Amino acid sequence: MSPRLRFLAGDPAWRETLAPLLLDPAGSPGALTLLREQPGHRRLLRARLASGDTVFLKHFGRGRHRVREAVKGVLGLQAARREWRALVSLHARGVRVPEPLALASLGGGAFVIATRFVEGRTLKQTLAEQPTGRRALLLAVGDLIAALHAAGWTHGDLHHGNLLVGAGGVWLVDLQAALPLRAGPARWRDLGELDHSLAGALSRAERVRLRARALGLARPFDADARRSLRSVGRASDARARAYAHSRTRRARRPGRRYARLRVGRCEGLRFQRIDEAVVLKALEAHRAALAEGGPRVIQQRLRSSATRVEVAGVRVVVKEWQRRGPWRLAADFFRGSPAARAWRGGVGLRARRIGAAVPYAFLERRRLALPIACWLLLEDLRPAVPADVAAGGPGAPQVAQALATLLARLHRAGIRHGDLKASHVYLSTDGAGRLEARLIDLEGVRFGGRLPDRARIRELAQLNASLPDELSDTIRCSAFHRYASALPFRAPAETCLRRVVEESLARAHRWSGRGCQLARRPG
């Protein structure tokens, strides 16, 4: 690692044992195993010593911002020093964290922490693999977090990946963001972050039970307990918004999830797991399908076209935009091309746990900085069927309820789809037999704050007008009231329903309003 090794803390016996390994890692073949690396940031390694002990080494890089790191050094706030202080304090108080063995400086602002290695699976992995014993496991997690906070510390990065289930129970790891606990809101933020990370793995009842255990609350909950639980819920919601915003923003540049894509004079991004060769072959298949015509072409208009192709076992919808007018090109200069907007929309929806087709990649060809042509590779959702087709079948009530639930989730998150027709919502059955709704045509998706009634009514009317007459008015009204119950309007619900009917009829789409009492009512 570095010949400039200087131990700053730790047991003298462990310093003597670790010094040869840290000074000359290449001289100990097979002793070190790289577990994970973030270039320029940190490396995680496992060391097997001659004594039979297994040690975990966390190597902190020098950091990219020299001035900031220099200030942290003066104040003693480097991540390695913070983590060491937290480990020593918590281990001394009996909190289940890896035993700290040594802290060393490697020169130039680099550090290494050595702890005993904890073998285990993350909490989320354990929950997925362990169908029984979940209640006891969650109670143990709650007790560990309560002990952390009782010892006077907050974790600062408390998600399921930093809770390991192994020998002896549940362990807390990765404490580089840990800080002394100063007030109740810090506890709520810790728990809110964990609650957010487990949203897809636990039921609501399990999440409330875990919150209560970590806060030391006993049933029946009194008013103070309920306030604390709601505070954790608000912290979880805030973390979800911040996470989704960050994921959406990062979708604009290459990184851990996304790779730069270049094809001739075109540039864009792709998911790391989608090989560039798959993108190239999909574009070739798209061009061939447009030239041949036939069932693979699902849309062919003056400005846009779309095809369904299959490459290397991956079924893809390729959408292409060309020959856009000067006003659209000028607007796209500021807002991004349709393909780039659809890419961000798909990433943002999925980050918010709202069903959408996965955007695999997008490409743009620019001239004088204007996106004159662009392509989007989107997940083919078949055998899922469009909602307007499913609404005419025997499961119409379930279809309407699934649409109401989807729209309530969209609007609660402050999202407008921009072209919310039933043909742009695909329905499939999940493992529990429930209908799952997923969105396509994502280029109009916009993320914002709370939506006014007017904007919500407009999208409700657009969706309602696109559903066929076979879907009865009773089912439509029931779905509307389900939506309004989940996300109340500021105006009276009946007034909003009347406006939805009026705007639906004004669109003159698939719903005629035949037989609807509200459609007959003047004004």
Side-chain angles (χ1 to χ4, degrees), residues 414-487:
I415 301 170
R416 307 185 200 199
H417 181 272
D419 194 15
L420 192 61
K421 301 172 185 173
S423 57
H424 294 162
V425 183
Y426 274 66
L427 298 170
S428 59
T429 305
D430 65 13
R434 297 183 296 264
L435 278 182
E436 180 182 23
R438 299 176 69 187
L439 293 161
I440 62 168
D441 268 44
L442 308 174
E443 57 267 26
V445 171
R446 286 181 289 168
F447 304 99
R450 179 170 179 172
L451 296 180
D453 287 356
R454 182 177 178 181
R456 294 167 59 190
I457 288 168
R458 188 182 303 121
E459 290 215 327
L460 280 164
Q462 186 175 30
L463 180 60
N464 183 57
S466 67
L467 290 164
D469 276 342
E470 286 80 5
L471 190 68
S472 74
D473 297 329
T474 302
I475 294 175
R476 292 173 195 260
C477 286
S478 174
F480 171 84
H481 287 297
R482 180 187 182 99
Y483 167 89
S485 175
L487 192 64

Side-chain angles (χ1 to χ4, degrees), residues 216 226 301 322:
R226 288 194 293 273
R301 299 173 182 165
Q322 293 199 34

Side-chain angles (χ1 to χ4, degrees), residues 209-280:
R209 191 178 300 125
L210 175 56
R211 295 177 196 176
R213 188 74 170 199
L215 290 168
L217 306 177
R219 288 182 181 273
F221 298 141
D222 59 19
D224 288 339
R226 288 194 293 273
R227 277 194 292 271
S228 295
L229 290 172
R230 284 195 295 270
S231 296
V232 175
R234 286 192 290 269
S236 178
D237 292 341
R239 173 57 186 157
R241 288 192 296 271
Y243 171 80
H245 177 73
S246 173
R247 283 279 302 275
T248 308
R249 179 171 46 82
R250 290 180 183 179
R252 302 178 184 183
R253 61 180 186 269
R256 185 165 56 91
R257 295 175 182 271
Y258 317 115
R260 194 176 299 281
L261 181 62
R262 287 190 176 92
V263 179
R265 292 178 296 168
C266 305
E267 290 190 2
L269 293 172
R270 61 176 172 85
F271 267 93
Q272 290 277 12
R273 60 187 173 89
I274 300 297
D275 193 77
E276 188 169 325
V278 172
V279 176
L280 296 176

Side-chain angles (χ1 to χ4, degrees), residues 287-468:
R287 286 191 289 268
L290 289 177
E292 295 168 6
R296 290 197 298 172
V297 179
I298 56 178
Q299 182 187 97
Q300 194 157 19
R301 299 173 182 165
L302 179 63
R303 293 189 178 93
S304 64
S305 57
T307 61
R308 284 193 174 102
V309 299
E310 185 169 343
V311 178
V314 180
R315 295 191 304 176
V316 181
V317 171
V318 182
K319 192 167 183 180
E320 175 181 3
W321 290 266
Q322 293 199 34
R323 294 186 291 276
R324 296 171 64 74
W327 293 113
R328 290 179 184 270
L329 286 176
D332 290 348
F333 176 79
F334 296 99
R335 65 185 181 179
S337 69
R341 298 200 308 269
W343 164 270
R344 289 196 298 270
V347 170
L349 287 170
R350 294 177 64 80
R352 291 160 175 82
R353 296 190 175 100
I354 294 173
V358 179
Y360 292 141
F362 81 94
L363 275 169
E364 297 175 328
R365 184 168 71 240
R366 290 179 174 265
R367 184 180 297 162
L368 299 176
L370 295 175
I372 59 173
C374 57
W375 296 262
L376 174 73
L377 275 66
L378 197 67
E379 176 189 11
D380 186 351
L381 295 180
R382 292 179 303 168
V385 296
D388 56 342
V389 175
Q398 290 74 27
V399 170
Q401 299 299 332
L403 292 175
T405 300
L406 171 68
L407 206 54
R409 294 190 63 201
L410 277 172
H411 292 170
R412 184 181 292 111
I415 301 170
R416 307 185 200 199
H417 181 272
D419 194 15
L420 192 61
K421 301 172 185 173
S423 57
H424 294 162
V425 183
Y426 274 66
L427 298 170
S428 59
T429 305
D430 65 13
R434 297 183 296 264
L435 278 182
E436 180 182 23
R438 299 176 69 187
L439 293 161
I440 62 168
D441 268 44
L442 308 174
E443 57 267 26
V445 171
R446 286 181 289 168
F447 304 99
R450 179 170 179 172
L451 296 180
D453 287 356
R454 182 177 178 181
R456 294 167 59 190
I457 288 168
R458 188 182 303 121
E459 290 215 327
L460 280 164
Q462 186 175 30
L463 180 60
N464 183 57
S466 67
L467 290 164

